[in-house]
Amino acid sequence: MEAHGDRAVAVGGDNYAPILTGDGARAVSLPREALRPPAEVAAPAGLDNLSVRPGLFVGRTAELDRLDGALADPGGVVVQAVHGLGGIGKSTLAAYWAATRTHGCAPIRWITADNSSSVQEGLVALAGALEPPLTDDALPPEALAERALQWLATHTGWLLLLDNVNDPADIAPLLARAHARGRFLITSRLATPWHGIPTVLRLDVLEETESLTLLTRIATTAGPRDLDGAAELCAELGHLPLAVEQVAAYLAQSPLPPPTCTYLPSTRRRCTATARSPPQPNASSPGSGTSPWTGSPPSSPRPRTCCAPWPGTPPTTSPPSWPTAPPTRPR
């Protein structure tokens, strides 16, 4: 027996073993889990990746009730969308509802969905959480994402929160593959493309009493303090939840002077300057309004029911969580 040519291999006798030839060739030993159909994979304990502490949530009763009602309707897949300005509390509402309401969904998975790559990363993370042995380079990311899709398509009762969707096309394959099986809750700044989705909520700024409650809770984290002018300050900020939260965090770090002496005068100066020269759109955050550090507060119709987000905005790779203390600088 002989072999001809570069890197040729000849094997004789009763030999059983992998044979690798060529540059970059490697052998991959798949665990038994990789051969098991996803339909036979049970959800292990601890699969949820949503962590919340609802102490700083205020208002939004009507919106929470609407989400409850949509989930209670009979039928297959339920897709719900929440849209509104940046910093208005969309992700906060979604996470709070998922964590505190009696919806009976399990597991609950948070996926950042601002682009198609992020959606795939979320599916890969789900596949790894379902079957940890597969994350050891056993399967490429594309194969892991496919297994996650197959698992979703063959199981019921789960809830996926798709956060910050910028293009409905990024989540369309996921919605199509997992039809009639689980529940979706989508957050997005987009207002127009949600045709065919039965429940669409539009969020607005806080009510006056709710923005004052939010500011007071955060600003007094370290203890009681003088909040003279706080209501007027909230009005100057347009009752935008993120703006109120950022200013309250600033006040919490400067406990001595009241808002009338520290923040309110500078806010008015910025508003006056902005009135003379309209602000330019924030390229990195289109349609998000303005933060208290960069311009005048957005004006918008008064909502009937609103909520406030917990300190900080949700991270891009994991679900929102409340910090143990207010942030020390704006985000």
Side-chain angles (χ1 to χ4, degrees):
M1 178 179 296
E2 61 181 89
H4 299 279
D6 293 341
R7 303 178 184 175
V9 176
V11 179
D14 296 327
N15 295 299
Y16 301 92
I19 299 175
L20 306 179
T21 64
D23 295 332
R26 67 187 184 117
V28 177
S29 179
L30 294 177
R32 287 182 298 175
E33 288 81 358
L35 305 178
R36 183 170 49 168
E40 299 178 3
V41 178
L47 194 59
D48 295 358
N49 68 337
L50 184 66
S51 169
V52 297
R53 178 182 155 195
L56 287 174
F57 192 92
V58 298
R60 198 73 85 190
T61 303
E63 284 80 359
L64 292 169
D65 290 342
R66 283 192 63 191
L67 294 179
D68 288 341
L71 188 67
D73 290 339
V77 64
V78 172
V79 182
Q80 300 148 240
V82 179
H83 73 88
L85 292 174
I88 211 71
K90 302 179 296 296
S91 301
T92 301
L93 175 68
Y96 182 84
W97 177 81
T100 64
R101 307 297 269 200
T102 306
H103 47 66
C105 293
I108 302 171
R109 296 292 296 185
W110 182 280
I111 294 180
T112 300
D114 52 357
N115 56 57
S116 57
S117 297
S118 295
V119 174
Q120 184 185 66
E121 290 173 5
L123 292 173
V124 169
L126 172 58
L130 286 166
E131 302 176 281
L134 298 185
T135 60
D136 250 355
D137 292 329
L139 295 176
E142 295 79 8
L144 288 172
E146 174 61 25
R147 284 189 69 84
L149 284 171
Q150 292 180 19
W151 188 88
L152 293 170
T154 54
H155 291 77
T156 60
W158 45 261
L159 170 64
L160 289 188
L161 294 98
L162 305 178
D163 186 48
N164 196 28
V165 174
N166 293 319
D167 186 350
D170 293 335
I171 62 173
L174 173 56
L175 299 183
R177 289 283 298 276
H179 64 88
R181 287 296 177 179
R183 312 282 180 169
F184 294 95
L185 180 52
I186 301 165
T187 73
S188 176
R189 296 183 185 182
L190 305 177
T192 56
W194 306 114
H195 304 298
I197 294 181
T199 303
V200 179
L201 302 179
R202 181 183 183 275
L203 303 193
D204 216 315
V205 295
L206 295 169
E207 294 287 352
E208 295 176 6
T209 56
E210 292 167 347
S211 63
L212 180 58
T213 298
L214 176 64
L215 185 142
T216 302
R217 287 183 182 180
I218 299 175
T220 58
T221 300
R225 57 156 297 157
D226 184 359
L227 288 177
D228 180 39
E232 191 177 359
L233 176 57
C234 290
E236 292 281 352
L237 297 170
H239 304 289
L240 182 69
L242 181 59
V244 173
E245 176 265 316
Q246 289 178 332
V247 171
Y250 171 83
L251 292 173
Q253 299 300 319
S254 306
L256 294 180
T260 50
C261 298
T262 55
Y263 211 93
L264 193 54
S266 62
T267 302
R268 283 174 173 164
R269 287 196 297 272
R270 288 187 177 91
C271 292
T272 302
T274 303
R276 296 183 183 135
S277 176
Q280 296 298 317
N282 187 338
S284 64
S285 180
S288 63
T290 54
S291 81
W293 271 266
T294 58
S296 62
S299 59
S300 54
R302 302 299 307 141
R304 292 183 179 178
T305 314
C306 290
C307 78
W310 54 78
T313 54
T316 57
T317 57
S318 61
S321 60
W322 280 270
T324 55
T328 57
R329 58 185 178 86
R331 286 181 274 179

